[in-house]
Amino acid sequence: MHLLIMGAPGSGKGTCAVELKSYYSIPHISTGEIFRKAIANKTKTGLIAQSYIDKGQLVPDEVTNEIVKERLMESDCKKGFLLDGFPRNLDQAYALSKILKELNIKLDAAINLQIEDKYIEQRIINRRMCENCGRGYNLISLKPKNEGICDVCGGKLYQRKDDTIETIDKRLVVYNTQTKPIIAYYKKLGILIDVDSNQEIEKVVSEIINKVKEK
Ligand code: AMP
């Protein structure tokens, strides 16, 4: 199964991706996570990415496209993959189509998580992430059983540095101006799946799975 998941910041891409990854037994490739790891490891890519991420901007396409291409060529992607947070603009979408053509892979579906703007700020401010497994929590709607600890792996929960009010507004502008146009691109390709993400996570995930089956 070859999938990608997109949606505004805080729409629940990462949370759904964790469930879909285990349902389909495919690797979850999150460009945001790749950048956060690179920043933590202080690599050259991490240093470049940090300056953009902290400002709520997109990391340049040359850097991002290359990372995705290399990742998709790894052997675990032979059984499929779930791309999360890539592509984020039309040029990245075209670059992805080119990479997939070279690798002789057809995307099965592009999942578009829909969420009204009014819910986004609260979702992001209350978001906490596991520093070990990357699982996402929400201090209001998806609380960990023990404060500050991941239910699944026991890792420490942290708040992303870019999950601040100031950065959220910038990320939303980037989403609305640069990322939204890719929805029409995947609709034209006939693989778009729209899913209302303002429901319980189990419902969102089962709606995705059912709609992917129908594709
Ligand atoms: P995410 O974890 O998907 O919310 O991504 C966090 C941040 O990483 C974004 O706000 C961007 O600064 C950067 N980023 C993630 N994916 C991409 C991408 N496909 N292109 C450019 N920048 C990205």
Side-chain angles (χ1 to χ4, degrees), residues 31-32 35-36 53 57-59 64 85-86 88 92 160 162:
T31 39
F35 289 138
R36 281 186 286 280
I53 293 177
Q57 296 170 352
L58 294 184
V59 178
T64 312
F86 183 90
R88 255 182 158 97
Q92 290 186 3
R160 275 171 49 174
D162 58 343

Side-chain angles (χ1 to χ4, degrees), residues 99-160:
I99 295 169
L100 295 179
K101 201 169 168 202
E102 282 166 19
L103 298 175
N104 207 12
I105 291 170
K106 207 179 122 292
L107 263 187
D108 294 291
I111 303 153
N112 177 35
L113 294 182
Q114 298 175 308
I115 181 92
E116 285 177 60
D117 278 4
K118 62 179 180 188
Y119 299 119
I120 289 177
E121 203 168 87
Q122 280 311 307
R123 276 195 177 204
I124 297 187
I125 294 295
N126 290 301
R127 171 157 69 184
R128 296 294 180 272
M129 311 286 297
C130 173
E131 64 177 18
N132 181 44
C133 72
R135 195 169 282 262
Y137 291 86
N138 185 287
L139 297 184
I140 294 171
S141 57
L142 199 63
K143 279 187 183 173
K145 288 191 188 99
N146 298 304
E147 201 186 317
I149 308 282
C150 176
D151 293 352
V152 179
C153 75
K156 216 169 125 193
L157 302 187
Y158 75 99
Q159 183 170 26
R160 275 171 49 174

